[in-house]
Amino acid sequence: MSGSFIEISEVGPRDGLQSISPIMPTEAKKAWIAAEAAAGVREIEVGSFVPAKILPQLADTAELVAFARTIPGLTVAVLVPNLKGAEAAVAAGAHKITIPLSVSETHSLRNVRRTHAQMLEETAAIAALIQAQPEGRRPKFEGGLSTAFGCTLEGVVPEAKVLEIAEALMKAGCDEVGLSDTTGYANPAQVKRLIRAVRSVVGDHACAGVHLHNTRGLGLANALAALDEGITTLDASLGGIGGCPFAPGASGNIVTEDLAFMLAAMGYETGVDLEKLLAVRDVVKAALPDTELYGFTPDAGLPKGFSGAWGL
Ligand code: ZN
């Protein structure tokens, strides 16, 4: 609804960079994070605590968490695949930790070589680790429902399975669950249906965010569907870095600049200064000259006289 606050969670430094082969130098990542925070983005997923031999692009995550923590008002988010990653995330001082759990068990086995039961055990162990931290130093803990809208290996992912895993993640000690369209299969009707269904199981407050990809060009339509259902956190990636090699022209995550423009034009508050946000692309381009950046708003520019809440 116009006037309410929507959190744009920038995931480019994690989801975007893990999907491309060039390794962005740590100093460039810091410049990106600093510039985007200065543009008003309040939550940034700065990396993932996975072994460097698996994802060398994200080997500097601990250093980035330490750096990002020095930026006032910024929520520093990270991904962890297991307890070991969570230990590193807690030690580094991350404010928010997400463990992705593939609703498609085939995908889970292929990706992290773990069954659902094993992942839920890992989740419970992480929840215990967080609870053991002194009050005020406990990161927020999110369970990410990966492949919730379909899987490249299994195809259709049954809604009942999504609900079962959502409930199990909450029982294992997550503070909330997020719906993740890992494969870019989602459509707006499905987004609405699944948000309602998951909320009926875990409660509205415990399902507040969605993670969308633009693989088939439905990213912003899906974002709008999520907004209509009352979702208040939307993941996006600057320049939509990490496009799908099988869908030329399709960005990876939904493009932060286009999302921020849509939200501002509709009268939502995001805290983002669009001109400053568009300028952050230069920082990323300078460090990744051969990587394609996506987005329509950056090319077209803001409408003449644009100051948000367009036509209201
Ligand atoms: Zn993703």
Side-chain angles (χ1 to χ4, degrees), residues 45-241:
E45 195 170 74
V46 300
S48 182
F49 283 100
V50 284
K53 67 172 193 292
I54 294 176
L55 280 179
Q57 300 98 315
L58 307 183
D60 52 4
T61 297
E63 187 177 342
L64 293 173
V65 170
F67 169 75
R69 274 176 54 88
T70 65
I71 301 172
L74 182 68
T75 298
V76 183
V78 293
L79 216 68
V80 302
N82 50 35
L83 177 62
K84 196 166 172 229
E87 284 165 353
V90 167
H95 300 131
K96 182 178 170 184
I97 293 177
T98 299
I99 183 165
L101 197 160
S102 276
V103 180
S104 152
E105 197 157 34
T106 315
H107 187 267
S108 185
L109 286 166
R110 185 79 62 90
N111 240 16
V112 290
R113 294 197 192 88
R114 283 196 172 91
T115 62
H116 282 160
Q118 288 169 321
M119 284 303 286
L120 289 165
E121 262 174 45
E122 210 74 24
T123 304
I126 295 171
L129 168 77
I130 290 172
Q131 279 313 311
Q133 304 307 307
E135 215 180 316
R137 294 201 46 197
R138 292 176 195 149
K140 193 163 134 188
F141 186 30
E142 183 194 61
L145 294 156
S146 303
T147 64
F149 297 90
C151 170
T152 49
L153 303 169
E154 285 190 8
V156 171
V157 169
E159 203 170 289
K161 196 76 201 169
V162 181
L163 304 189
E164 181 194 314
I165 300 292
E167 202 172 14
L169 281 169
M170 292 302 291
K171 268 202 189 119
C174 287
D175 298 314
E176 60 179 77
V177 293
L179 284 168
S180 201
D181 183 20
T182 318
T183 54
Y185 278 17
N187 68 74
Q190 185 189 20
V191 167
K192 289 190 172 204
R193 203 169 55 235
L194 204 54
I195 290 169
R196 277 184 209 172
V198 169
R199 283 184 154 184
S200 74
V201 170
V202 301
D204 288 7
H205 65 284
C207 176
V210 291
H211 175 96
L212 300 166
H213 282 249
N214 196 38
T215 319
R216 289 171 179 76
L218 301 191
L220 282 186
N222 290 335
L224 186 60
L227 287 170
D228 283 348
E229 288 302 319
I231 286 294
T232 52
T233 298
L234 289 161
D235 288 3
S237 166
L238 193 93
I241 295 176

